[in-house]
Amino acid sequence: MARLRTKPFQGLDGRYHYTYLTTNLVNGKQYVGDRTCDKLPDKYIGSGSAHFKRAKKKYGEENFTKVILAFFPTREQAHAFEEPMIKKYGTLAPN
């Protein structure tokens, strides 16, 4: 695997493409996702499944923290990296 870029950089289209890990600070549950945006920092913590949406509503967005795992030149690369990170962090089912 190529070396991961953890410092922000704009992709080939001038946008930021990254894979992230969001953690619920109350119960420790985590969610992995990918994101494309025009500027950083962004306040996005994820949208995801209905379960994640309910958790955001129940605990409040202030009780979640997002860590960017890696940046990529394209959205497709960020999305492809999401699956191995889901397996690594065990976030396919609520953990």
Side-chain angles (χ1 to χ4, degrees):
M1 178 183 286
R3 194 181 126 221
L4 295 178
R5 296 182 181 197
T6 55
K7 292 186 179 182
F9 73 96
Q10 290 176 301
L12 300 174
D13 59 359
R15 302 177 83 195
Y16 296 95
H17 309 282
Y18 61 85
T19 304
Y20 62 90
L21 175 70
T22 297
T23 303
N24 182 322
L25 299 174
V26 176
N27 61 21
K29 292 184 180 183
Q30 295 179 308
Y31 171 79
V32 172
D34 66 88
R35 170 94 167 137
T36 295
C37 62
D38 293 321
K39 62 181 182 172
L40 290 177
D42 67 340
K43 295 181 181 188
Y44 182 82
I45 63 166
S47 56
S49 66
H51 178 78
F52 184 70
K53 289 176 185 173
R54 283 191 304 271
K56 285 195 306 185
K57 186 174 182 178
K58 179 178 180 178
Y59 297 106
E61 289 193 17
E62 68 277 4
N63 286 306
F64 290 82
T65 172
K66 178 181 80 176
V67 175
I68 295 175
L69 301 173
F71 287 88
F72 297 90
T74 67
R75 183 190 186 309
E76 293 77 19
Q77 289 171 320
H79 185 70
F81 190 66
E82 182 180 11
E83 186 174 333
M85 293 299 98
I86 288 170
K87 291 177 182 174
K88 177 179 179 176
Y89 291 99
T91 62
L92 187 57
N95 60 0

